[in-house]
Amino acid sequence: MESFIFELMEIHDYENIFFCQEKTVGLKAIIVIHDTTIGPAAGGVRMWPYESEADAIKDATRLARGMTYKCAAAGLPYGGGKCVIIGDPKRDKTEGLLRTLGRFIHRLGGLFLTGIDVGTTLQDMELMRIETPYVVSLPEALGGPGNSAIATAFGIFQGIRACLKEVYGSPLLQGHTVAVQGVGAVGKELVKYLVEAGAVVTVADVDEEKVKQMAAQYKVNVVQPGEIHGLDVDVYSPCAMGGILNDQTTPELHCKIVCGSANNQLAEDRHGDMLAQRGVLYAPDYIVSAGGVISGMDSLSRDGFKRERAMETVSHIYKTMGNVIAISKEQNIPTYRAADVLAEQRIAMVRQVKSLALL
Ligand code: NAI
């Protein structure tokens, strides 16, 4: 028997894939539940004009598994999932489509908890929320966390502090040099934290307008986008696109620490090995970029979203990054592997606890 989907599911042991279709509103969506050992699956809704259904399934499965690791390592009581809508967010997104997806998510009865991702906005979540309470990203005016970038940036800041502690013996930013690649939603908030803490910051962005705005607002140096990764700095913080640690860039790094928000920074795992061999401390992206998810999940608290409590929880990323470094040293493995070990240990522990015959 020819098998594509079940084979794919077996590789990393996925629990469910739900296909959602409603032709009257043009909805074609896929919800993947990777692992719910720790709790209901958390993951955003991505809308993208995938070239094929296979591409959509592959993307959704990869992202859902990433969420399992992100939530497990962050100490959240959630597993990993993801929803992808096949379509162009600029052309195909309608109220009908979003509310229909909301109803499908509602049908899962809380198995899948969702928020924004590439191609969806807080306004889209508001529409889905009409149909289901299992949407966590909502605008501040509706009692939600609002823009997740602030919490994400705060988490990156905590990751940088943990790395500085390891490399220089103190988490203080004062006088340290940091190169921030990309001053979009996360990057610009990070620059604010860094400058306020006394770091010497250099920025680059392909969008010249954004760089101008940063330079007008803060005392920062500006370089061309092609130069930022190679600067002789203490910390290089990639906050733009993924795959930035690759065969070309990795040998050109002159930093001691890489810690940023960009997703999937390692083009391949071996680039994580290369960094370790070169003595560069790499903060695994899913460990330090968990601030947005951590903060979003606070909305599920009984008393609703509380920013102060959410940011306090995000600050635990400092300790989590410290644990990753400790595992990396104890087991003599690169930090990207140590992050996976941390997540897998927590999943195994919860599985063990749940198997106890206490009731
Ligand atoms: P954004 O789109 O607001 O900002 C990205 C910035 O990078 C833009 O200003 C863009 O012009 C710039 N850029 C693109 N290519 C560049 C290049 N080659 N060199 C320099 N700058 C370049 O995105 P956002 O929300 O700030 O996210 C940044 C990264 O962090 C993304 O990889 C995202 O997936 C990841 N992330 C974001 C989270 C969030 O809460 N927004 C949460 C977790 C991860």
Side-chain angles (χ1 to χ4, degrees):
M1 184 185 71
E2 203 175 305
S3 161
F4 156 63
I5 293 177
F6 282 110
E7 245 175 45
L8 187 71
M9 289 176 80
E10 279 174 17
I11 297 172
H12 293 296
D13 213 8
Y14 291 86
E15 293 178 10
N16 303 105
I17 300 184
F18 298 99
F19 292 84
C20 311
Q21 183 283 133
E22 177 48 60
K23 60 177 179 290
T24 57
V25 293
L27 176 69
K28 282 189 188 136
I30 300 162
I31 299 169
V32 174
I33 308 295
H34 174 239
D35 190 300
T36 58
T37 306
I38 297 182
V45 179
R46 177 168 291 198
M47 185 164 187
W48 194 255
Y50 293 101
E51 287 198 356
S52 69
E53 289 171 13
D55 283 356
I57 295 168
K58 279 185 203 151
D59 202 32
T61 46
R62 178 181 67 86
L63 293 164
R65 182 164 171 263
M67 286 306 296
T68 298
Y69 278 76
K70 193 171 202 168
C71 291
L76 290 170
Y78 302 106
K82 199 79 187 183
C83 175
V84 300
I85 306 172
I86 301 175
D88 182 340
K90 291 205 185 88
R91 214 189 49 203
D92 306 328
K93 211 192 304 174
T94 59
E95 178 180 352
L97 179 143
L98 291 162
R99 289 181 63 167
T100 306
L101 179 62
R103 296 190 68 156
F104 276 116
I105 289 171
H106 193 66
R107 190 185 260 184
L108 299 181
L111 174 71
F112 179 59
L113 307 166
T114 200
I116 57 173
D117 195 71
V118 175
T120 56
T121 64
L122 286 174
Q123 286 67 40
D124 299 339
M125 297 301 125
E126 248 182 277
L127 292 171
M128 287 168 57
R129 177 67 177 236
I130 297 170
E131 305 295 340
T132 179
Y134 304 124
V135 170
V136 299
S137 327
L138 282 180
E140 274 176 281
L142 295 179
N147 174 8
S148 64
I150 299 171
T152 303
F154 187 55
I156 301 300
F157 180 68
Q158 297 303 330
I160 291 176
R161 290 179 63 241
C163 292
L164 289 174
K165 172 89 170 57
E166 173 62 19
V167 175
Y168 298 98
S170 159
L172 297 182
L173 263 296
Q174 186 64 44
H176 281 292
T177 48
V178 185
V180 180
Q181 179 177 41
V183 283
V186 176
K188 76 168 190 235
E189 298 296 335
L190 176 63
V191 168
K192 180 167 162 269
Y193 284 118
L194 293 170
V195 171
E196 280 172 3
V200 180
V201 179
T202 304
V203 301
D205 197 297
V206 286
D207 185 334
E208 283 178 21
E209 198 46 45
K210 286 187 180 160
V211 172
K212 264 194 214 150
Q213 276 174 18
M214 287 314 294
Q217 223 174 332
Y218 302 105
K219 196 170 161 285
V220 292
N221 307 308
V222 175
V223 295
Q224 288 304 310
E227 294 170 39
I228 191 92
H229 67 275
L231 295 185
D232 191 356
V233 287
D234 301 331
V235 184
Y236 162 48
S237 183
C239 295
M241 66 294 181
I244 187 62
L245 302 167
N246 52 42
D247 284 338
Q248 185 235 314
T249 57
T250 308
E252 293 172 359
L253 297 182
H254 285 100
C255 55
K256 291 270 181 297
I257 295 163
V258 176
C259 180
S261 73
N263 275 328
N264 303 317
Q265 287 166 37
L266 299 174
E268 293 171 42
D269 283 354
R270 64 186 174 82
H271 298 108
D273 302 326
M274 276 167 78
L275 288 172
Q277 281 152 16
R278 297 197 55 206
V280 176
L281 176 56
Y282 168 62
D285 41 28
Y286 74 78
I287 296 290
V288 292
S289 72
V293 178
I294 296 172
S295 158
M297 289 306 175
D298 189 84
S299 354
L300 296 174
S301 309
R302 275 207 192 100
D303 54 349
F305 179 73
K306 295 276 181 288
R307 183 163 307 280
E308 209 175 305
R309 179 181 57 206
M311 292 303 252
E312 154 66 20
T313 318
V314 174
S315 74
H316 298 173
I317 287 176
Y318 176 82
K319 193 157 175 277
T320 308
M321 187 57 218
N323 291 341
V324 169
I325 294 169
I327 293 173
S328 158
K329 291 205 288 200
E330 271 161 35
Q331 302 193 13
N332 196 22
I333 52 176
T335 47
Y336 80 91
R337 263 303 301 149
D340 289 356
V341 168
L342 181 74
E344 285 160 10
Q345 279 176 349
R346 181 150 183 266
I347 295 168
M349 179 276 291
V350 174
R351 187 169 289 131
Q352 165 73 14
V353 169
K354 286 189 172 174
S355 73
L356 298 175
L358 295 177
L359 294 174

